[in-house]
Each structure stands twice: as structure tokens, then as C-alpha cells.
Amino acid sequence: MDKPLHLDQQSLVQAWQQQLPEMIGPGDSTMVQADNANPQAINVHINAAGHQKYGFDFRCTYKDTRELDVALVDVDMAGRSIDEHSATVQELVDDYMRHIHECAQVLHHITDPS
């Protein structure tokens, strides 16, 4: 374990709100919110572009200033929860998780300024 994250959650949310839309595909939309249960975590919602109307919820928890744990919380289609194990959905989940990790790397100067 590296150094614990010492950044207020609102600043973290703000940084993610600015950076994440640049990391994901055109037409996709994002919403980043503080995780009220954990000051080291944020919740990310991504609406996928396209007529399937997929929505993805991820919990992103900073283990320290360098390591981000990303967990899929829910997948919905037009507002209803669906099984996330289909190949199409799994491919989107993997893609979004990669973009989330890339965003964390870009924001490293904020989370680990030393």
C-alpha cells in the first residue's frame, strides 16, 4: 500500500467530471458523484451511445494515491436492470473499465501530487 489519498471528495468528483467525458466514446455520457458511504470512493454512471439505452454503474475506490479499484455495480437497459454476462455487455464493461483506469492515470497529478 502506498500513501493514503488526501484529497477532499468534492475536488475528486470535480476532476473526474471534467476528465472522464474526454476518455469515453463520442455520444456516451457520464455522471460522477461522491460515494456517501466512503470518502475514498466515487460513483460513476455511464450512458452508452446507441439505441440499446445501456446504463452502467461503477464504484471506484482509491486504495491509495496510485491504485484504483473499479467494481461494476449495475447494468441497466432503458432503466431496467439486466444480466451483465452477455458478450455485448461484457465488452462494453471491459471497455469502460479501461477508460476509467486511463482517467485515473490522467488525474494522477491531482491524487498523488508529490
Side-chain angles (χ1 to χ4, degrees), residues 46-109:
I46 299 174
N47 288 314
H51 51 274
Q52 289 97 348
K53 296 193 188 314
Y54 287 125
F56 298 85
D57 290 310
F58 298 94
R59 180 169 297 116
C60 306
T61 308
Y62 279 89
K63 294 179 175 276
D64 56 38
T65 58
R66 297 178 159 273
E67 190 177 351
L68 183 70
D69 182 40
V70 180
L72 177 66
V73 176
D74 187 41
V75 179
D76 64 67
M77 186 169 163
R80 292 216 289 285
S81 285
I82 61 167
D83 177 22
E84 71 269 9
H85 295 97
S86 76
T88 303
V89 171
Q90 224 29 91
E91 200 174 296
L92 286 166
V93 167
D94 291 346
D95 199 36
Y96 288 136
M97 283 186 149
R98 189 178 75 251
H99 292 315
I100 289 169
H101 280 289
E102 288 169 355
C103 186
Q105 288 176 338
V106 170
L107 294 176
H108 194 138
H109 69 283

Side-chain angles (χ1 to χ4, degrees), residues 14-32 46 96 98-100 102-104 106-107 109:
Q14 210 168 14
W16 275 84
Q17 283 174 332
Q18 289 174 344
Q19 187 63 48
L20 188 59
E22 296 178 24
M23 310 299 292
I24 63 169
D28 292 348
S29 64
T30 64
M31 183 171 55
V32 181
I46 299 174
Y96 288 136
R98 189 178 75 251
H99 292 315
I100 289 169
E102 288 169 355
C103 186
V106 170
L107 294 176
H109 69 283

